[in-house]
Amino acid sequence: SDPSFKKVEENWHLRKSKEYKSVKEVYKKGVFSFYTPASSSKTYLAFYHQVELEEGMHYKFIVEVKAGGQGAITYAYGTYGDLFSKKKTKRKSKGRSKDEDKGQNLGLMVSTSEFASEWKTHICYFTAKEKTSSLNVYMKILLGEYQGDFSLRNPQLFKVESIPGEAKKRGSVEVK
């Protein structure tokens, strides 16, 4: 799980679309941080950690965030292509198979715009849903709609007995 970012290359991936190529992320003393001067689509800047959870089980994802900027961040659990492969493949633009795997939400897709310039704990609850895709599964923090300084530390994922009622459909997020 690597909550202190000691093995970043093996466990974490910051996916940046072309408008975010100049964003420089830093992993220092257990903190992941960056600055972005503008916001865009939420998926254009996204932090991924590969993990496959047990279908039908309830989970609590906790992370500490310090963010003095504005916009929104979205917490998600779902499928995506292979981010950790050393081999880059070009996507075919035409003639794609209708049966080709698509990204799939697997129980968590919630946003928050509640930020502070001091550390706050973000707590997400969700139930892992059935995976019908052959793509890899990730915890995702979608950061593209956020603008400003952003720091994250101590991400943790726990299996729990139950979740709040409002988390049943797409999960929930609470900031403390």
Side-chain angles (χ1 to χ4, degrees):
S1 62
D2 192 29
S4 56
F5 308 112
K6 291 191 188 307
K7 294 184 177 181
V8 173
E9 307 79 30
E10 298 169 23
N11 295 295
W12 301 95
H13 180 79
L14 183 65
R15 182 182 170 277
K16 302 182 246 187
S17 65
K18 59 185 166 204
E19 56 261 56
Y20 289 107
K21 290 298 180 200
S22 64
V23 169
K24 300 291 183 223
E25 67 272 22
V26 176
Y27 301 92
K28 189 174 183 178
K29 295 183 180 179
V31 176
F32 160 73
S33 60
F34 68 87
Y35 170 78
T36 179
S39 61
S40 187
S41 173
K42 66 183 166 192
T43 59
Y44 286 12
L45 184 65
F47 198 44
Y48 290 83
H49 177 68
Q50 189 170 349
V51 59
E52 192 140 350
L53 302 177
E54 196 176 335
E55 176 192 333
M57 295 290 103
H58 305 302
Y59 292 90
K60 176 164 82 170
F61 177 67
I62 302 174
V63 65
E64 295 173 55
V65 173
K66 181 165 55 170
Q70 59 192 17
I73 61 172
T74 301
Y75 294 99
Y77 174 66
T79 61
Y80 196 77
D82 188 0
L83 295 167
F84 296 98
S85 173
K86 299 291 182 218
K87 189 172 83 173
K88 297 284 181 193
T89 57
K90 291 279 184 192
R91 196 190 259 189
K92 293 178 189 173
S93 58
K94 289 187 177 181
R96 293 173 74 183
S97 167
K98 289 180 182 174
D99 298 327
E100 186 173 341
D101 281 342
K102 292 189 168 85
Q104 180 185 9
N105 176 282
L106 296 174
L108 179 64
M109 181 67 79
V110 291
S111 298
T112 185
S113 296
E114 193 175 330
F115 304 116
S117 53
E118 69 273 353
W119 290 105
K120 293 286 186 181
T121 302
H122 292 208
I123 305 166
C124 299
Y125 291 96
F126 67 101
T127 302
K129 293 187 177 167
E130 179 185 6
K131 176 183 160 192
T132 58
S133 160
S134 66
L135 296 173
N136 293 330
V137 184
Y138 300 91
M139 283 300 302
K140 311 174 201 180
I141 303 174
L142 307 176
L143 300 158
E145 292 178 320
Y146 180 80
Q147 174 182 346
D149 286 307
F150 181 88
S151 297
L152 176 148
R153 70 181 182 194
N154 203 21
Q156 301 173 61
L157 183 65
F158 303 99
K159 192 183 284 188
V160 293
E161 289 297 315
S162 63
I163 59 172
E166 71 271 11
K168 297 269 191 252
K169 203 165 194 162
R170 294 177 65 89
S172 67
V173 62
E174 175 184 353
V175 178
K176 290 186 174 184

